[in-house]
Amino acid sequence: MALDIKDNLIIECLKVGKKQFHELEEQLVEKRGEMSKTTLSRHLKNLESEEVIRRLPGRSSDGRSIIYYELVELGLEAQIIDAIKTLRKKYLGDPTIEEVSYFVGETPEIVSKIIYKFARKLGWMSPTEAFVERRGEELTKFLEFIAMKKFKPTLKPPALWGDSGVIVDTKKTAKEYGKLFPEMIPKVHPQPSDKYILEWGDEAMKVTGLTVKTTEFPITYLFKFEM
């Protein structure tokens, strides 16, 4: 089953723990407007049929029968495959063994054996130091673009290269990315004279290679070469 954006939004909500339907509805339908109630029901049904999630019976504080939705616990191999697919989207390129290890909570030695077992099938190649540096620079530009777009609507998007070597639709990718990984987007603090300060989160700093918590817009001067 190929998961789409709405599937992943539901999964992200359930990663923090089991939830009832009305809790998912409140978060994804009412507060964030990501989907309709009907769409939520359909995606929950599909995820359940694919054994990605399951129903869990429970009792409310007043004794009523209630149903929770929770993620099905995956085996380590499935977790690692999911980690590669997720981090590849999140970091705009193949993750390192150390990054996958941190994601699944296992040692690099154990993860390494499993990754190489599925490497050809997943199209994963161990990132070189140069690749990680380049990936970080591209991700920095991309995150900056997402953060600044609402302040500068005419801002030109950076060029992003897909796995096939073809430039991807940055605007479409940015819209999807912002919904899936909002924690990666830096916070923007407008300053006088049309200046902006971007505040970066810990994960974004680690992956991009930034060594400072805040940067001015634009931040091309931090890079050794232009993208």
Side-chain angles (χ1 to χ4, degrees), residues 27-45:
Q27 188 166 350
L28 296 173
V29 179
E30 297 174 2
K31 288 186 177 180
R32 294 165 56 179
E34 301 288 358
M35 62 188 81
S36 67
K37 183 176 180 179
T38 301
T39 300
L40 173 60
S41 297
R42 184 174 70 252
H43 280 267
L44 285 171
K45 184 177 180 180

Side-chain angles (χ1 to χ4, degrees), residues 81-112:
I81 291 173
D82 176 67
I84 291 174
K85 292 179 179 179
T86 299
L87 295 178
R88 180 180 278 159
K89 291 181 180 179
K90 194 173 189 178
Y91 298 165
L92 302 186
D94 279 336
T96 65
I97 289 175
E98 289 72 20
E99 289 167 343
V100 175
S101 299
Y102 183 80
F103 189 89
V104 301
E106 264 297 351
T107 64
E109 292 75 20
I110 292 176
V111 169
S112 177

Side-chain angles (χ1 to χ4, degrees), residues 168-180:
V168 301
D169 186 339
T170 308
K171 290 184 178 180
K172 180 180 178 181
T173 304
K175 184 177 181 180
E176 295 174 350
Y177 189 101
K179 291 182 178 180
L180 289 174

Side-chain angles (χ1 to χ4, degrees), residues 20 58-67:
Q20 296 180 58
R59 292 281 180 181
S60 64
S61 57
D62 59 2
R64 292 182 296 107
S65 295
I66 54 177
I67 296 294

Side-chain angles (χ1 to χ4, degrees), residues 138 157-161 167-168 170 227:
E138 186 168 280
L160 295 178
W161 296 86
I167 295 179
V168 301
T170 308
M227 294 176 53

Side-chain angles (χ1 to χ4, degrees), residues 9-21 23-24 27-28 44 52-54 56 67-72:
L9 288 171
I10 293 171
I11 290 171
E12 286 299 316
C13 287
L14 293 177
K15 280 184 177 180
V16 299
K18 62 185 180 181
K19 293 184 182 295
Q20 296 180 58
F21 181 86
E23 293 175 305
L24 292 169
Q27 188 166 350
L28 296 173
L44 285 171
V52 177
I53 65 173
R54 62 187 170 198
L56 184 68
I67 296 294
Y68 290 100
Y69 288 95
E70 68 173 4
L71 290 175
V72 174

